[in-house]
Amino acid sequence: MASVPNTTQASVKGEVQAGGAWLTPARVVLAAVLLLCALQLFFRVSDARAHGEVEGAAALAMIEQQPAASITPTGQVPATLQASLATVFTPRNGVLSLALCQGAQCSSVFARPGALPCESGLSWPALCVAVPSRVNIGDTLKVGYDLQPYLWSALLDLGVTIVLGAGVLLVWRGKQAAPQAVAGKAGSPAAAPAAGSDRDPLTGLLNRVAFEAAVKRHNETSTPSATGETDGCLMYFDLDRFKAINDTHGHIAGDLVLKAVAGRLRYTLGNGAVIGRLGGDEFAALLIDVSTQTTIQQMGRVLIEQVSKPIQMGGLTDAVGLSIGAFMLKRGELAVGDILHRADLAMYEAKRGGRGRMMFFEEAMDEASRSRAQVQIDLNKAIQDREMFMVYQPQVDAFDSIRGVESLVRWRHPTRGLVSPDEFISIAEQTGLIVPLGKMIIELVCADLVALRAQRLALPYVSVNLSLRQLADPAFVDEVQEALKRHGLNPTDLEFEITESTAMVGQAAKETATLKRLAEMGFRLAIDDFGTGYSSLGRLLDLKVDKLKIDRVFVAAITKPNFDPALLELMISLAKRMGIKSVAEGVENVDQVVWLRQAGCQMMQGDLYSRPMNHAQLISWLRLQEGDNDFDEGVWSPTMTMEESEV
């Protein structure tokens, strides 16, 4: 009789479990994965459509610059324009074809080999996007845009979701099995250390702790060589362009790159080398019983060549470079930390010297490192003692009227005199001192602007450069607001410049939120050094920038032989179509001014107008210019108002 209640209880328990069996963790994870898959596909296709529209707008800008008579009623464009379109859009892997349509008649103006005609809607492997012309009503440009990279990206994101889901299931199963897994004999496999605990989980190489232990064992195996010869080499590796790949293609692609690099290091160095991943994109290798730099130099050249080859990341292909620092060591002479430090210094110098190269440690590198450390100490004190001052370079419009000035910081050291910005700005950014330095710069700029306007001189705005670290500082926006309030200024009195690379890589939530908040408050944003980095046009539109500052290298090319104007014209035209200003930097002669005006560039800056001036010099310079400007009674209205009145 005692068995009956137990049987009944087990039966009831089984019925309850069966009733809720459909809601298992595996099914919940599967449903979430399917939902995320659909969302990823939708968003990726939407991204592709947005990029296709931007590319089509850029192509239309080039086409619409042609005389209307040169385009036939069927949409046929001149061969020279087709060649220019091919030059501009061939490097842009996303654009497969371009076709100009006038009514129902369409004519191809650019197509990659094997590209199919652009059909409306979604058709593998291309998305057909129709971009209507705002100049010639009725004309449409059909853009065939490649969907494959976006779908591969969605697949990679889905892979992360699956891995995370599998991790959740494993954790859940581990908790269920924990009571049974606790017991075991002391000598059983369960009680033994986990296999591979000395390995980097991503690449399979030694982790930092295990690698340093291996170097220590080698260093302590025997007494120093009696002849004083080296008996090994430590090579320190750092990848070039790895951050750009992470920011452009995502961390999954970055992980694939790290795995590929680890494999190439193992293959090239062979089994005789001890290889480890020290963290991030830094690797190291200990080569034993190698006594000549010539051998290491040969190996370094091969390593750089092998690692720099293109890497497949799903449907994407990209490449990284390799910078190498090498230190020829003698066993027992130095501690492991000192050995790694010397190899690291050599690697740093290889990067400073142009990347993609190898350098051996020299004692002068240690002295340079100490010098940089001293600059950091002095810079910290300089910020506290306010040893900085500002210089300003004017920005003028196409009529030579003053629109504003760009502010540039200078450091007057008490014993060294003027310190070059190239020497301290990079150190400020690396150490985080750029944040308090940037706060001081804004205070100095505001004070100078107020003092200048007290002289009844017209200056609409001052442009201030920002770094990525400043954008990531949560207190930055509030501090700017407080500075403006203290000096009685408005957001329209300041303009913030960010480099093109900063605008592209600053896609983390903090940086993006800061930039958008500044724009919403009325501050204008300018992209500096435009054309020298990787740009996403969609990103520029998302940030609502007000100006594109074309880098000086493109302006300098205007007066050189074999100057090709296509790219420069495209940048100026692109800015105009986006409804923002184009500013040419580094203008040095009248020939450049004439060409830029004819091309439609709206603003210019450079030594032709004035070299950077301190505050007193700027006041004198503005007084000299007053007779040539048309500002009424020193009015400094918002810049956009004045600029729009002349468009």
Side-chain angles (χ1 to χ4, degrees), residues 461-498:
Y461 66 88
V462 179
S463 185
V464 180
N465 292 280
L466 294 185
S467 73
L468 199 60
R469 282 197 181 236
Q470 287 175 277
L471 294 175
D473 180 16
F476 173 73
V477 176
D478 292 336
E479 289 174 349
V480 172
Q481 285 181 300
E482 291 172 4
L484 291 180
K485 186 176 180 180
R486 279 195 301 273
H487 293 281
L489 298 174
N490 299 310
T492 52
D493 294 319
L494 292 185
E495 177 179 271
F496 291 118
E497 291 188 19
I498 51 176

Side-chain angles (χ1 to χ4, degrees), residues 527-606:
I527 302 298
D528 197 12
D529 301 334
F530 185 70
T532 59
Y534 172 83
S535 285
S536 164
L537 300 181
R539 173 73 172 160
L540 296 179
L541 291 171
D542 182 53
L543 290 178
K544 296 181 175 60
V545 300
D546 300 279
K547 290 180 182 176
L548 294 183
K549 298 190 70 177
I550 300 170
D551 190 79
R552 63 182 62 245
V553 297
F554 300 101
V555 177
I558 293 175
T559 56
K560 294 181 179 179
N562 303 320
F563 166 56
D564 185 358
L567 187 56
L568 193 50
E569 288 175 343
L570 179 60
M571 287 190 283
I572 294 172
S573 178
L574 175 63
K576 186 175 182 180
R577 286 192 63 88
M578 293 173 65
I580 60 181
K581 298 294 182 185
S582 54
V583 185
E585 295 185 284
V587 177
E588 296 182 349
N589 56 63
V590 176
D591 291 339
Q592 293 170 347
V593 173
V594 171
W595 189 94
L596 289 166
R597 285 177 176 174
Q598 291 176 346
C601 186
Q602 294 156 303
M603 295 180 66
M604 300 173 205
Q605 175 182 344

Side-chain angles (χ1 to χ4, degrees), residues 234 236 336-346 361 366 369:
L234 185 73
Y236 204 111
V336 173
D338 293 331
I339 294 172
L340 284 167
H341 175 65
R342 282 161 168 74
D344 186 23
L345 285 177
F361 172 78
D366 199 20
S369 176

